[in-house]
Amino acid sequence: MSVVVRDYPSVSDRAIALGLSAPTGLAILPENLPDARTAAEFRFANGTATVRTLFRNDRINHELLIATGERPQHLVLKSAD
């Protein structure tokens, strides 16, 4: 297995380029933010819902980088281990 190092794009610039508002605070980002062609292609990690629940329970302000009114799509990784 090899490790690839690359610069991460500006989150604000990427959000604006995809027609979204730039996040202003703590934001949960989709796994494929650098590569998505549209915001509809965003895929969030499987644990995103749990993290959001924990943040809400502790009253930690956060936002999900997603179009208004859209529901997040999650990556589900299964294994036969």
Side-chain angles (χ1 to χ4, degrees):
M1 182 167 149
S2 63
V3 176
V4 177
V5 178
R6 65 180 175 166
D7 290 334
Y8 200 79
S10 164
V11 172
S12 296
D13 291 347
R14 193 73 183 112
I16 291 168
L18 293 171
L20 304 172
S21 298
T24 57
L26 179 63
I28 299 174
L29 306 177
E31 296 267 330
N32 61 339
L33 177 64
D35 304 316
R37 291 177 299 192
T38 67
E41 292 180 359
F42 284 170
R43 302 294 180 267
F44 291 86
N46 193 32
T48 300
T50 301
V51 170
R52 293 185 72 206
T53 299
L54 294 171
F55 282 173
R56 271 194 305 273
N57 289 346
D58 287 340
R59 294 181 177 87
I60 297 172
N61 291 331
H62 68 284
E63 54 190 294
L64 189 65
L65 186 64
I66 194 165
T68 304
E70 292 291 321
R71 293 181 52 106
Q73 296 185 35
H74 294 92
L75 291 171
V76 178
L77 304 175
K78 296 188 177 187
S79 169
D81 292 350

